[in-house]
Amino acid sequence: QVQLVESGGGVVQPGRSLRLSCAASGFIFSSSGMHWVRQAPGKGLEWVAFISYDGNNKYYADSVKGRFTISRDNSKNTLYLQMNSLRAEDTAVYYCAKESDSSGYGGIDPWGQGTLVTVSS
Amino acid sequence: QSALTQPRSVSGSPGQSVTISCTGTSSDVGGYNYVSWYQQNPGKAPKLMIYDISKRPSGVPDRFSGSKSGNTASLTISGLQAEDEADYYCNSYAGSFTWVFGGGTKLTVL
């Protein structure tokens, strides 16, 4: 079955960088677009970024544009999120998720278990 | 990229029906037939319940249904069960490979 396992979260000071990884298995990773979605403590979901199946196209929420970079290594079945110039408001659980097989634009499924990023001095 | 508007909370008794609304604009909900709904239990990852406005993934009970009218989408849960108590989020494609979520609705089964 499809598995998405995030790693790389932790506590980081404001202005510093962190890279998240998401190891994918159980499906043809190189054929699927992938998302990062985050959730601040006690808050709702926020879409962060999307990358096309081949890594050639990348899209971002305005809140992270210019600071975060989504990438993938299809040879390693791994998705990444490079986060630079981190701010307190970036504190959240970050989920890796796959575009739905049933609808590329209309569904995000499944999701990983998430990794917590805390930005604090 | 403004969040879609959902009621903060809804409630219903077992066996009843509840509807959760999700209001956006013509640039997201109203402009595309790509609205999805997610169920999230405490401490867990979200789970896709409805995609493309009204389609159910395999394994999702047919008690869950979705619809859209203009800039507002809706999730209806009929025959409410205790296990349906959770947070629910709507999501819409917003064009140019961007997506937007609603603020979330807490469903309480009385």
Side-chain angles (χ1 to χ4, degrees):
Chain A
Q1 76 281 19
V2 174
Q3 258 203 316
L4 299 168
V5 180
E6 301 93 336
S7 60
V11 179
V12 61
Q13 293 180 328
R16 304 297 291 263
S17 300
L18 201 63
R19 189 178 82 158
L20 305 182
S21 299
C22 171
S25 61
F27 66 103
I28 303 174
F29 182 70
S30 58
S31 295
S32 291
M34 298 293 294
H35 298 266
W36 285 102
V37 178
R38 68 184 180 182
Q39 185 171 34
K43 302 296 184 182
L45 301 171
E46 180 186 14
W47 176 79
V48 172
F50 174 80
I51 188 169
S52 61
Y53 69 98
D54 56 4
N56 287 339
N57 299 290
K58 306 172 184 181
Y59 306 89
Y60 302 93
D62 289 343
S63 58
V64 306
K65 199 174 294 183
R67 299 187 300 122
F68 289 12
T69 301
I70 188 172
S71 63
R72 64 192 298 159
D73 186 336
N74 285 345
S75 69
K76 296 182 178 179
N77 285 354
T78 302
L79 176 72
Y80 302 101
L81 186 67
Q82 177 67 42
M83 303 184 294
N84 298 333
S85 303
L86 282 162
R87 307 166 180 167
E89 54 265 36
D90 296 319
T91 294
V93 173
Y94 285 74
Y95 293 101
C96 154
K98 176 182 167 298
E99 69 175 4
S100 168
D101 284 339
S102 303
S103 174
Y105 295 115
I108 301 174
D109 177 64
W111 301 54
Q113 86 288 350
T115 187
L116 176 62
V117 173
T118 303
V119 183
S120 173
S121 54
Chain B
Q1 296 179 349
S2 299
L4 307 176
T5 300
Q6 296 181 233
R8 287 215 166 205
S9 64
V10 297
S11 62
S13 299
Q16 288 186 332
S17 293
V18 295
T19 296
I20 300 171
S21 61
C22 170
T23 301
T25 70
S26 58
S27 297
D28 38 62
V29 174
Y32 305 93
N33 290 327
Y34 296 123
V35 175
S36 52
W37 291 89
Y38 301 84
Q39 178 190 66
Q40 187 179 35
N41 288 298
K44 301 294 187 181
K47 174 187 174 184
L48 179 66
M49 303 300 285
I50 295 287
Y51 67 96
D52 291 356
I53 297 177
S54 60
K55 299 176 182 177
R56 279 187 313 275
S58 173
V60 173
D62 59 7
R63 303 183 294 103
F64 291 82
S65 63
S67 63
K68 189 187 91 166
S69 178
N71 296 337
T72 298
S74 299
L75 172 71
T76 298
I77 309 171
S78 57
L80 207 56
Q81 299 182 4
E83 67 203 49
D84 299 332
E85 185 162 294
D87 292 327
Y88 290 85
Y89 294 89
C90 62
N91 175 271
S92 175
Y93 181 65
S96 301
F97 289 91
T98 65
W99 286 261
V100 60
F101 281 94
T105 298
K106 181 176 179 58
L107 169 62
T108 300
V109 180
L110 302 170

